[in-house]
Amino acid sequence: MSTPRLGAAKTVGMTDVANWAPQTSEPLQFVTDLLGDTIRQPNPAARVVTDPEEAANIVAAETRSRIAAVLDRFTGDPDVLLSGGVDSIYVAAVAVSLGVRPNAITVVTEEQSDEGNAAVAAKALGLRHDVIRLSAAEVVDLARDVMALLGTSELWEVTAGIPILAARRRLDIIGNPGAILTGSGADAIFGGGRKLPYAVHSAEARVELDRLIRAETAANFREARLVPHFYPALLDGHAARLVHIFQTVRWWQVAERFAPPVLFGAHDGRPVDKLALRITAERELPAEVESLAWAAKSPIQRSSGLMSVLADAARTYAANLPGAQTYSDPRTEDAEAVATRLYLSILEKRQGCESARVAVLSTR
């Protein structure tokens, strides 16, 4: 059966800005809460921008406008949380083009990280670069602190919170604090980390992209998440100046117009996501590091090495359980066996607690 094709695309340029929400200097907006049910309603027909170059021009203008508004509002010395991915590198590059040089902060572990891209970008952009390298023991200690502050042990919340809490080491000593810039939100509205099972020019791809982005944005761009107080709990007063560049109503309205060919393509024979953003990032970066615009990157929980460190800590814990090394070594056995060991130890502790409770009740 032949694959349906997209119809002729309407050109959507900067002349449509009048129909978008006003530019904002707010650190972030809870887009789902502000727009209500409209953000969840399928509307693939809105995705009419199919030219990556046109989309890149829109992304460039919008990023510059957004960061300029933020810098006008927060007049102190800015920082940028530089993870080494294209989103934060691009944000840093635009800030430099606007005449400021934010201090770059990168949090990594001693054992594994993609610190290299962040370091190369910071040097090329002329940024002071504070690299916070966490030992395995520090990662575990921070995990405990994050769980206490957030009131949850949920994997992704805790591992996302560790670098944020670690960054406070730098943020707490700033004398003239300004905006803390992040590329947060780009993945949600641009389909970062996603893959489409259809040809990008097909109608099915447009429908699927619209569904994916609406679902992710509706779930993440809202206040009532698992931990609504996530950033205030971890950053205290710093949270008020932590800027999610791409998490605004206006950015949602911009990205809602982007069709699959704008976001998914290829570079040097390799599939890439966030195509339009990468194109404009390449233009913004100094020539010697423009290749960073095309670098692949895992979520910071993995790329920083945090997940690996905690997984090793789990294996060490499992290896020290009674009788754990009788038949195999949890430090080298497969992950399924380790997870099962840990779960059985939890059941054993629960059973012990229940038995103790029954014993106490029987003596009354």
Side-chain angles (χ1 to χ4, degrees), residues 231-256:
Y231 291 107
L234 298 174
L235 290 175
D236 198 17
H238 300 301
R241 55 192 183 87
L242 181 68
V243 180
H244 303 241
I245 291 299
F246 299 99
Q247 189 174 331
T248 69
V249 170
R250 183 177 168 107
W251 260 118
W252 164 253
Q253 293 173 329
V254 171
E256 187 183 23

Side-chain angles (χ1 to χ4, degrees), residues 35-200:
L35 295 183
D37 288 340
T38 59
I39 201 171
R40 296 181 175 88
Q41 294 172 355
N43 188 16
R47 300 189 172 278
V48 294
V49 181
T50 60
D51 180 5
E53 294 293 332
E54 178 185 359
N57 291 336
I58 296 173
V59 170
E62 279 301 299
T63 307
R64 191 175 184 85
S65 173
R66 166 75 165 136
I67 294 178
V70 167
L71 294 176
D72 283 344
R73 174 175 177 173
F74 298 93
T75 56
D77 297 328
D79 292 276
V80 60
L81 300 185
L82 195 67
S83 69
V86 64
D87 305 333
S88 60
I89 288 175
Y90 176 49
V91 165
V94 173
V96 169
S97 75
L98 289 169
V100 300
R101 295 195 181 277
N103 179 74
I105 301 174
T106 301
V107 179
V108 296
T109 61
E110 292 179 341
E111 300 299 324
Q112 176 184 349
S113 75
D114 60 354
E115 173 190 341
N117 284 356
V120 170
K123 182 178 180 180
L125 294 170
L127 307 181
R128 171 182 168 179
H129 192 199
D130 290 339
V131 180
I132 302 172
R133 296 182 181 87
L134 302 175
S135 67
E138 287 174 319
V139 170
V140 173
D141 286 343
L142 282 166
R144 292 193 183 100
D145 292 341
V146 169
M147 287 188 289
L149 290 169
L150 298 184
T152 183
S153 60
E154 199 285 321
L155 171 65
W156 293 101
E157 296 283 5
V158 173
T159 50
I162 289 172
I164 296 295
L165 191 59
R168 285 192 61 171
R169 298 178 183 179
R170 157 64 187 166
L171 299 175
D172 283 340
I173 64 173
I174 295 174
N176 182 34
I180 306 168
L181 306 175
T182 79
S184 178
D187 279 345
I189 62 173
F190 296 138
R194 297 289 191 171
K195 294 181 179 179
L196 295 178
Y198 308 104
V200 293

Side-chain angles (χ1 to χ4, degrees), residues 200-332:
V200 293
H201 289 283
S202 68
E204 291 96 336
R206 184 163 58 174
V207 170
E208 177 66 4
L209 175 67
D210 190 68
R211 184 192 68 78
L212 286 172
I213 290 182
R214 288 182 184 279
E216 185 165 352
T217 307
N220 290 286
F221 285 13
R222 61 191 178 97
E223 187 170 15
R225 299 179 58 183
L226 179 62
V227 185
H229 61 294
F230 182 88
Y231 291 107
L234 298 174
L235 290 175
D236 198 17
H238 300 301
R241 55 192 183 87
L242 181 68
V243 180
H244 303 241
I245 291 299
F246 299 99
Q247 189 174 331
T248 69
V249 170
R250 183 177 168 107
W251 260 118
W252 164 253
Q253 293 173 329
V254 171
E256 187 183 23
R257 290 159 169 76
F258 290 168
V262 161
L263 301 179
F264 297 92
H267 179 75
D268 288 343
R270 181 178 62 84
V272 295
D273 59 4
K274 296 181 290 192
L275 177 61
L277 185 145
R278 292 180 186 276
I279 291 173
T280 189
E282 181 181 52
R283 295 171 180 169
E284 195 70 60
L285 287 167
E288 68 271 19
V289 296
E290 61 184 21
S291 62
L292 294 177
W294 303 101
K297 181 179 176 296
S298 301
I300 189 171
Q301 293 95 327
R302 294 191 187 280
S303 64
S304 62
L306 291 173
M307 201 79 80
S308 176
V309 168
L310 290 172
D312 287 344
R315 287 182 178 277
T316 300
Y317 179 86
N320 286 292
L321 293 171
Q325 299 185 57
T326 302
Y327 304 105
S328 62
D329 189 341
R331 289 168 295 189
T332 57

